[in-house]
């Protein structure tokens, strides 16, 4: 039983957390994330330690590449650069790096840097701006990339719906925005695909924030099939 519970815990998808931020009555931001905000002091310390270890890994890998590059420099180099790198000549690490060829050091250092800069969580948000529109955002895989965003003006939004679709043998619910002159709905939270209970909270809040009513403006003549295609 313990082994089965352990396997279920390891194979289970990461928990999703919904955060609602409403700084003004006309602005609401819904964020679904697999990152749990640290609420206790040990959790905050663990977060800071993780950031420190990631930074240390990137700096260490970059430093090893610098040492290896130092060994390949020609004898005649600029004086300023020579003064900066000459203190490294007496380091034992420099001699250790000299033994390993580039075909081992470069891929290993790049792998360490990539893993350290890879974002350990997924985060998607829906920003509601009354009388202006909505903006969807999906976090990037790494910290060096910016989030993928899209803005939909309120004049082009017909309705916001919760629809169901089949993913394999499983029925999944998703939040979609029906946009004028587009055959398919714009799926909100496309990577996270939150539970229906979470989608209902976002759906009610989005309609209230965008149109000021629970029902919203809507287009009752539009229908959406299981593939997300809008039918008049």
């Amino acid at each position: 039983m313990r082994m089965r519970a352990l396997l279920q815990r390891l194979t289970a998808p990461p928990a999703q957390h919904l955060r609602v931020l409403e700084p003004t009555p006309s602005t609401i931001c819904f964020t679904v994330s697999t990152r749990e905000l640290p609420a206790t002091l040990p959790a905050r310390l663990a977060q800071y330690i993780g950031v420190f270890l990631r930074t240390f890994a990137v700096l260490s890998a970059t430093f090893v590449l610098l040492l290896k590059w130092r060994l390949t420099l020609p004898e005649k180099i600029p004086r300023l650069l020579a003064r900066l790198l000459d203190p490294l000549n007496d380091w034992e690490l420099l001699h250790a790096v000299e033994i390993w060829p580039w075909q081992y050091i470069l891929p290993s250092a790049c792998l360490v840097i990539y893993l350290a800069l890879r974002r350990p969580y997924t985060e998607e948000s829906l920003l509601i701006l009354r009388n202006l529109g909505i903006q969807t955002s999906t976090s990037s895989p790494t910290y060096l990339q910016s989030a993928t965003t899209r803005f939909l003006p309120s004049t082009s939004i017909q309705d916001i719906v919760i629809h169901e679709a089949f993913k394999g043998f499983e029925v999944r619910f998703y939040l979609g925005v029906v946009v004028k002159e587009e055959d398919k709905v714009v799926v909100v939270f496309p990577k996270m695909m939150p539970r229906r209970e979470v989608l209902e909270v976002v759906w009610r809040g989005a309609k209230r924030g965008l149109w000021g009513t629970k029902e919203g403006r809507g287009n009752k003549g539009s229908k959406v099939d299981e593939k997300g295609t809008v039918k008049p």
Side-chain angles (χ1 to χ4, degrees), residues 142-161:
T142 64
Y143 289 105
L144 297 180
Q145 298 173 284
S146 58
T148 302
T149 60
R150 182 180 180 183
F151 181 77
L152 300 173
S154 58
T155 54
S156 64
I157 299 176
Q158 292 182 314
D159 200 1
I160 302 177
V161 298

Side-chain angles (χ1 to χ4, degrees), residues 73-132:
L73 288 176
E75 296 181 358
K76 296 181 179 181
I77 59 177
R79 294 182 178 180
L80 179 60
L81 185 61
R83 291 179 181 178
L84 293 175
L85 297 178
D86 279 343
L88 302 178
N89 291 329
D90 297 333
W91 285 25
E92 295 182 0
L93 180 61
L94 184 66
H95 302 291
V97 173
E98 185 178 7
I99 302 175
W100 294 91
W102 272 109
Q103 54 265 33
Y104 296 114
I105 292 182
L106 183 59
S108 301
C110 292
L111 180 61
V112 170
I113 294 175
Y114 171 76
L115 294 177
L117 295 178
R118 184 173 177 82
R119 199 182 299 271
Y121 61 88
T122 303
E123 191 170 271
E124 294 182 304
S125 62
L126 175 65
L127 177 62
I128 308 296
L129 301 173
R130 183 174 299 177
N131 300 327
L132 292 178

Side-chain angles (χ1 to χ4, degrees), residues 25-108:
S26 60
T27 305
I28 308 176
C29 183
F30 301 94
T31 302
V32 180
S33 176
T34 57
R35 178 181 60 171
E36 184 176 1
L37 295 180
T40 60
L41 181 60
R44 293 181 180 178
L45 291 177
Q47 184 182 21
Y48 295 148
I49 292 174
V51 173
F52 172 78
L53 293 178
R54 287 175 178 273
T55 305
F56 180 77
V58 173
L59 294 178
S60 299
T62 305
F63 188 68
V64 169
L65 293 177
L66 175 64
L67 292 180
K68 188 62 177 179
W69 174 68
R70 171 66 180 86
L71 297 173
T72 59
L73 288 176
E75 296 181 358
K76 296 181 179 181
I77 59 177
R79 294 182 178 180
L80 179 60
L81 185 61
R83 291 179 181 178
L84 293 175
L85 297 178
D86 279 343
L88 302 178
N89 291 329
D90 297 333
W91 285 25
E92 295 182 0
L93 180 61
L94 184 66
H95 302 291
V97 173
E98 185 178 7
I99 302 175
W100 294 91
W102 272 109
Q103 54 265 33
Y104 296 114
I105 292 182
L106 183 59
S108 301

